[in-house]
Amino acid sequence: MNKTQRKDMKRFRIMAIAVALMAAVVAEAQNIKECWITGTAVPGGVQKLESRPDGSFMYAGKLVAGEARITTSLQKGKTTKWLTPVDTDASLVCNGIKYKLLADKPGAAWQVYFTEDLYRVFVDTQKSEVRGEIFRPWGELFIGGGTTEKGWDNKHMQPFIQSADDPCVWTWTGELRPHTEFKEPDAFKIEGQLKWGPKQLHPFKPHADVLATVQLQQGGADNKWQLSRPGRYRLTVNVFKLTMKAEFLGE
């Protein structure tokens, strides 16, 4: 084996090791089946995160000033992991901080500096990242698309009505049916303003059946809802908890 061949073989081994390590990290992330948030910042000491269709997890609720830790199980065992921030004194309110999985001890805690009722915490298991925010209720919500009277004219989208009891809950009642004069006549979108973006709600998968949708994602891919049957609908959306309930009211 000549010098060039030895160098090529060395590069191949390095690439093979890197690929194996990456595969191991992805496999470990995909093995996370549950997530819990615990600590002095958590009401009641512990809350379960909601599992999302894309493999991520979300907590939406109150947090108080204190410390929080995220774990894959409340019962310590061989498979229990702690999602520990790679940065010391990491704030839970962040645009995204990497975590490492620790098995033997919790490690550093996530810091919560303010008491608020509307915290959202997202665990992205594919990126090994935690992102947190203090949510502010939206001031408006609209529906538009090929199933509505004005189609994809974003200046004439139809407004939702905000709940008097909960500013994060919005309801729209009206007719949805295909309009063949528009592109994508059996699809629609939900926007947080009277234009396309930046605040948008989408289903996790393209062409999602509105009657089968429960969980939403804010942003993400430009997926649209698909209409399986025309008629009158009532859509109830919680922009904080990222949920939707669609009711078919008849032809």
Side-chain angles (χ1 to χ4, degrees), residues 35 49 83 89 101 104 117 155 167 181 191-192 221 243:
C35 270
L49 276 69
L83 282 62
D89 297 323
L101 292 171
D104 55 341
D117 290 332
K155 300 300 182 184
E181 65 270 31
E191 298 287 328
T243 61

Side-chain angles (χ1 to χ4, degrees), residues 143-153 156-158 172 174-179 181-182 185 187:
I143 181 173
T147 61
T148 63
E149 185 179 356
K150 298 295 184 179
W152 300 100
D153 181 355
H156 293 90
M157 292 189 292
Q158 299 177 20
W172 176 86
E175 184 182 59
L176 293 175
R177 65 179 179 84
H179 292 81
E181 65 270 31
F182 303 128

Side-chain angles (χ1 to χ4, degrees), residues 176-189:
L176 293 175
R177 65 179 179 84
H179 292 81
T180 55
E181 65 270 31
F182 303 128
K183 293 176 63 176
E184 299 183 276
D186 56 354
F188 69 88
K189 296 172 64 174

